[in-house]
Amino acid sequence: MLKIYIDGKLYDKEDAKISVFDHGLLYGDGVFEGIRMYNGKIFKCVEHIDRLFESARAIGIRIPMSKKEVIKAMEDTLKVNDIKDGYVRLLVTRGIGDLGLDPKLCVRPSVVIIADKIQLYPPEIYEKGLELITAATPRNHQEALSPRIKSLNYLNNIMAKMEGHQANVREVVMLNLDGYVCECSADNILLVKNGVLKTPPASAGILKGITRDTIMEIAHESGTEVREENITRFDLYVADEVFLCGTAAELIAAVKIDGRVINDGKPGPVFKELLGKFRELV
Ligand code: PMP
């Protein structure tokens, strides 16, 4: 039976419950992280914990634990569930309040840790790549709600993903309100053109993905020029390679976007090299 951590205690999965008055449920008022464990080691642990605390700070939540305590709780939860290769979902909610949205009435934020097996994309997707469409739903404006905050309110991304379902594709490209490419509904996006790896800058209004940072670092170390710059749909259509990356997906090639076949329609050499090096790293 899976054990779930809630505010310092471990509960059986069936008994792991939080109040219907928690503002995480009532308003999506909270933040989260998705983290991988490979071979008994938490991948990019410090980076994820730092981002969790920054997300919380950005929305004025004081996590009632130190970073060290959160890491210890995460390690304990993984251990008790005997998980060496898996996925951790860390959540911090605003906590219990009343039906009004006033966060001041929520006394104590709740910390929840779910450690489980990872649900991977089917293996053929890594060999053949994915088809994408551009969603009509724009990424929410960063001054309205910064995508840098990994908040519990993912409706913007869900609305875009639903457009993907309508079009029978698994992922979608989201643009910002200036029409530049931001990211996918749950992954960052990168392209290769004439040997240069390009990805939208954080200022385009994206979640600054930890896998994205890792891939840029790997590419830089292997001598590839890496640029963070604004990307248009045109740039995607005429790219030599396009791929997405994220904690759960790792690296997946996009071989068709809005009906345009990217290059020869197969995952490209830079993608293959980066995926190989990423897998070596983890
Ligand atoms: N963008 C969005 C909107 C995400 O939800 C995620 C995480 N799944 C990413 C990008 C990738 O971030 P990371 O590499 O840190 O998982």
Side-chain angles (χ1 to χ4, degrees), residues 51 139 150 154 157 183 185-188 207 209-211 246-247:
R51 189 171 66 181
R139 193 75 174 95
K150 200 163 167 61
Y154 252 53
N157 312 59
E183 57 182 336
S185 72
D187 294 297
N188 290 113
L207 179 77
I210 288 163
T211 319
T247 292

Side-chain angles (χ1 to χ4, degrees), residues 36 118 121 126 186-187 244-252 275 279:
R36 285 288 280 273
I118 173 99
Y121 278 91
Y126 292 89
D187 294 297
L244 12 150
C245 71
T247 292
E250 298 180 331
L251 220 62
I252 297 179
L275 180 60
R279 294 227 163 120

Side-chain angles (χ1 to χ4, degrees), residues 57-88:
R57 274 174 72 181
I59 65 166
I61 286 183
R62 269 202 68 203
I63 299 177
M65 296 166 80
S66 67
K67 288 184 182 178
K68 260 196 185 148
E69 286 167 339
V70 175
I71 293 171
K72 173 82 172 47
M74 194 160 67
E75 287 169 348
D76 291 350
T77 310
L78 280 158
K79 199 165 174 196
V80 77
N81 287 297
D82 197 24
I83 291 170
K84 297 202 171 57
D85 286 279
Y87 180 87
V88 184

